[in-house]
Amino acid sequence: MTSLALLQMVSPALPVGAFSYSEGLEVLIQSGALRDEHGIELWLAAELQRGGLRLEAAALPELAADLRHWQASADASARTRVIDLDGWLLATREAAELRAQQRQMGGSLLVLLADLGHPLPEALPLAWPAAWAWASVALQVAEREMVEGYLYGWVANQLSAAVRLVPLGPTRAQVLQQRLLPQIVDVAEQLSTVHPHELWNSGVGVSMAQLAHAELYSRLFRS
């Protein structure tokens, strides 16, 4: 049942609006920094190894533990820790568009979970990572699968954007997704025992691309 719940969480049919964001990829492709399948693969691999995504993925176990504790005991301190870590993760994202994306996707996921019979113990405006952690708690997804699913879903969304921006067909996108699976597993394992405050983000390029997105003359995506 856990595996089926995870499949639902990473489904492209999940109504959270992920398809409308490129997270800076549109800027990089329009500028010519990324031109083909090889460039996209290197970019995704670099983000998995050194990007801000790692901080969010590493925070998931702690967020899930506090959400579970808050659900079971109405512990105000657990609630406060969730809010603090949620806010810290948002603050690590430089671009206002990306912070808006995290809030919108998180809010949409929480609404969906409430409709599925899994509301938060108290209404909170959690961003995407914390909402993902709550989904994992509510749907009883195992911790490692929760982290792997978060990374897998990010790669899938980036490839979906790339298909619409570069000469990269759906078949080649699936080939890329498969090639990145071992790295997703390795990164999830590395992050399983690391607190996000102990990590660093060297994704300067992606941050600059996200900040430049608002200046594009024409654009398909919201970030």
Side-chain angles (χ1 to χ4, degrees):
M1 189 65 179
T2 295
S3 296
L4 291 177
L6 184 62
L7 288 176
Q8 183 176 13
M9 289 170 61
V10 300
S11 169
L14 198 72
V16 295
F19 66 90
S20 62
Y21 300 103
S22 81
E23 300 190 21
L25 199 62
E26 187 169 19
V27 170
L28 295 165
I29 291 169
Q30 282 203 27
S31 69
L34 299 178
R35 299 176 182 272
D36 53 24
E37 176 183 331
H38 180 64
I40 296 294
E41 182 176 9
L42 291 178
W43 180 259
L44 295 178
E47 282 300 294
L48 285 169
Q49 290 294 334
R50 299 185 291 276
L53 175 75
R54 296 163 64 253
L55 279 66
E56 295 168 358
L60 293 175
E62 183 170 344
L63 286 166
D66 283 331
L67 285 163
R68 193 177 294 110
H69 188 55
W70 179 31
Q71 177 191 37
S73 62
D75 184 351
S77 62
R79 174 186 180 277
T80 299
R81 288 193 297 271
V82 169
I83 294 172
D84 288 347
L85 186 50
D86 177 71
W88 181 81
L89 289 172
L90 268 180
T92 65
R93 296 296 196 168
E94 292 90 344
E97 287 179 313
L98 188 55
R99 293 194 296 272
Q101 170 189 338
Q102 298 286 71
R103 294 189 185 98
Q104 180 271 302
M105 289 176 59
S108 295
L109 182 55
L110 292 177
V111 170
L112 172 63
L113 289 167
D115 289 342
L116 293 174
H118 304 292
L120 281 170
E122 173 192 336
L124 287 178
L126 299 179
W128 178 244
W132 180 272
W134 173 245
S136 301
V137 170
L139 301 177
Q140 301 181 344
V141 174
E143 182 174 298
R144 178 62 62 83
E145 291 183 338
M146 168 181 64
V147 178
E148 290 178 352
Y150 190 85
L151 298 173
Y152 178 94
W154 178 82
V155 170
N157 286 333
Q158 288 283 278
L159 287 173
S160 174
V163 165
R164 287 171 276 171
L165 291 168
V166 297
L168 178 70
T171 298
R172 296 310 303 172
Q174 289 301 306
V175 170
L176 277 185
Q177 183 91 47
Q178 186 179 50
R179 284 212 296 260
L180 289 168
L181 289 181
Q183 187 169 343
I184 289 172
V185 172
D186 289 345
V187 171
E189 183 175 359
Q190 294 167 20
L191 297 176
S192 61
T193 58
V194 180
H195 192 279
H197 290 169
E198 300 172 4
L199 296 171
W200 44 267
N201 172 17
S202 69
V204 177
V206 73
S207 296
M208 293 178 66
Q210 290 162 0
L211 288 167
H213 189 264
E215 300 175 3
L216 289 179
Y217 178 75
S218 62
R219 49 187 174 174
L220 294 176
F221 296 91
R222 296 173 63 184
S223 74

